[in-house]
Amino acid sequence: PLRLKTESPIVKLRVMEREFYYYVEVIKQVKARLASLGHYQGDTTSDSYGENEIRAMTKFQRASGLDPTGIPDQHTLVRLFIRVKLPG
């Protein structure tokens, strides 16, 4: 599963006028995983999370039967990295 191997700074994301805080390394791993699944074609080494990343996340969420918010929330991260079927 998703585990940080080293200390990672925190970055603030804004999605639909809401703010969220994530470790930079988590954002990079999210982008790399989305790219490996064919949902993202951008830079997987940066900590940016803008329109391209939101669009890729929304695409993944729709394909996975999740609420398409564009936010890498807990259910989305579980589905993205563990690939289990969540109830509901």
Side-chain angles (χ1 to χ4, degrees):
L2 180 64
R3 296 207 185 269
L4 297 178
K5 296 178 179 140
T6 60
E7 189 172 329
S8 180
I10 293 175
V11 64
K12 178 171 62 172
L13 308 181
R14 281 186 68 89
V15 179
M16 300 182 336
E17 302 302 319
R18 295 172 59 196
E19 294 180 347
F20 302 89
Y21 294 88
Y22 290 92
Y23 290 108
V24 167
E25 189 58 34
V26 170
I27 295 304
K28 290 178 181 180
Q29 289 184 31
V30 162
K31 290 164 63 167
R33 182 69 175 145
L34 288 170
S36 75
L37 295 171
H39 296 292
Y40 180 68
Q41 290 79 38
D43 180 6
T44 60
T45 63
S46 78
D47 64 0
S48 66
Y49 196 86
E51 288 184 33
N52 290 334
E53 291 79 14
I54 293 167
R55 190 173 16 262
M57 180 61 71
T58 300
K59 184 178 174 184
F60 170 78
Q61 289 169 324
R62 278 195 183 103
S64 299
L66 298 168
D67 188 22
T69 63
I71 300 165
D73 58 33
Q74 184 177 2
H75 287 152
T76 300
L77 293 176
V78 167
R79 188 74 59 93
L80 186 61
F81 289 103
I82 301 177
R83 305 294 299 166
V84 296
K85 181 118 177 128
L86 299 174

